[in-house]
Amino acid sequence: MFGVNNFKSDDRDKMDRYKSDDRSEKDGDERSKKMSGGYYRKKVCRFCSDSDFILDYKDVRIVQSFVSEYGKIVPRRISGNCAKHQRKLTTAIKRARNLAMVGYVTMGS
Amino acid sequence: MPRDSISGYETTFLTKPEISDEVLKSLQERLTNTVGQFNGDVVLTEDWGRRKLAYSIKKETRGHYSYVVYTGGGGIVQEIERQLRLNEHVLRFLTVHLGDNFDKEAFKKERVEMQDAAKRREAERESRREERFERRGHYDMGGRGGREYMRDDMFDENISSHVEE
């Protein structure tokens, strides 16, 4: 019985460690210190920071800048968008795809 | 939903590129009549001109985009979409609900602002490209700038002149 208890607390310890690891990895600045060579620029949501950058499915340029060469939606981890705008962006991209402004699989040519 | 609230809708439809202006106009007129039947009115119509499609639809690689914003009571979208579906020149359409209690003036203002912002961005991009050109002596095709540059052939000559107007 004692052994089992010990085991559990051990597990919890491990989990805590994983959690803290995760957190430090998410923080861009923290990571840049760890990485040898090259700086990380802190990513900001372009829709939040630039008032001229208006999200709209009708604007091909904006929608296309968040689509990969293979027509995939660029993840938040890469683009740095905030959750709110990423959610709106996905619907915008899907609408633009329907209207053949952005491809489903490839970016033209 | 209360009955007196007016909903706004926007419909973008894509027609075959070779159709004449008269055919397009008659289609738009018919839509306007339909909107009138449902006690709504057309807030805004835009013609985006011909553009290259990202993928071919019914063997067409180009399409003519038209954009209409209108208000109306219940059932208007079904009727408009039915008419678009019946028309053989229409390749695609998409209707988006703009919300109940639609404010026409606010929407018009917002749309103009949006277009201005797009223009400002375009100018900024152009200046950045010029800067790059001066620095390196050639337009670089690699990296993000290159992708922007390539994206230009998404646009038809017509549309680029249309934007400048």
Side-chain angles (χ1 to χ4, degrees), chain A residues 46 50-62 64-69 95-104 106-109, chain B residues 10 12-14 48 51-55 57 65 67 92-94 96 111 113-114 117-118 120-122 125 129 144 147-148 151-152 154-155:
Chain A
R46 283 164 81 189
D50 190 351
S51 61
D52 271 2
F53 209 73
I54 303 164
L55 178 54
D56 185 19
Y57 72 91
K58 297 185 283 293
D59 196 328
V60 188
R61 296 238 167 182
I62 285 199
Q64 208 157 53
S65 59
F66 290 99
V67 171
S68 80
E69 282 146 85
R95 281 171 182 170
R97 275 179 183 166
N98 204 347
L99 287 171
M101 292 158 147
V102 185
Y104 280 100
T106 48
M107 246 178 57
S109 60
Chain B
E10 56 179 11
T12 314
F13 58 94
L14 188 51
W48 299 347
R51 289 189 194 177
K52 211 175 200 174
L53 303 181
Y55 51 89
I57 304 173
Y65 284 85
Y67 173 69
R92 269 299 150 89
F93 54 84
L94 177 80
V96 177
R111 183 82 186 124
E113 269 167 29
M114 221 178 244
R120 277 199 296 273
R121 273 202 319 278
E122 200 63 38
R125 193 179 288 126
R129 194 186 292 161
R144 304 191 85 182
R147 267 174 64 194
E148 271 166 25
R151 253 177 255 141
D152 280 353
M154 275 293 289
F155 294 86

Side-chain angles (χ1 to χ4, degrees), chain A residues 62-94:
Chain A
I62 285 199
V63 172
Q64 208 157 53
S65 59
F66 290 99
V67 171
S68 80
E69 282 146 85
Y70 299 104
K72 288 177 152 194
I73 297 171
V74 176
R76 222 148 74 68
R77 127 176 83 83
I78 310 283
S79 64
N81 285 344
C82 68
K84 179 185 161 191
H85 283 119
Q86 183 72 11
R87 241 181 293 129
K88 294 195 168 164
L89 180 70
T90 48
T91 58
I93 290 175
K94 284 166 188 178

Side-chain angles (χ1 to χ4, degrees), chain A residues 14-79:
Chain A
K14 264 187 200 165
M15 268 162 70
D16 279 351
R17 222 175 295 147
Y18 278 133
K19 267 185 196 165
S20 62
D21 263 8
D22 266 347
R23 213 168 290 153
S24 67
E25 224 169 311
K26 264 177 199 167
D27 198 325
D29 292 339
E30 196 79 10
R31 210 173 167 191
S32 67
K33 277 174 203 161
K34 275 183 194 170
M35 299 286 269
S36 57
Y39 281 94
Y40 267 89
R41 205 198 300 165
K42 176 110 174 123
K43 285 175 194 150
V44 279
C45 177
R46 283 164 81 189
F47 297 107
C48 290
S49 57
D50 190 351
S51 61
D52 271 2
F53 209 73
I54 303 164
L55 178 54
D56 185 19
Y57 72 91
K58 297 185 283 293
D59 196 328
V60 188
R61 296 238 167 182
I62 285 199
V63 172
Q64 208 157 53
S65 59
F66 290 99
V67 171
S68 80
E69 282 146 85
Y70 299 104
K72 288 177 152 194
I73 297 171
V74 176
R76 222 148 74 68
R77 127 176 83 83
I78 310 283
S79 64

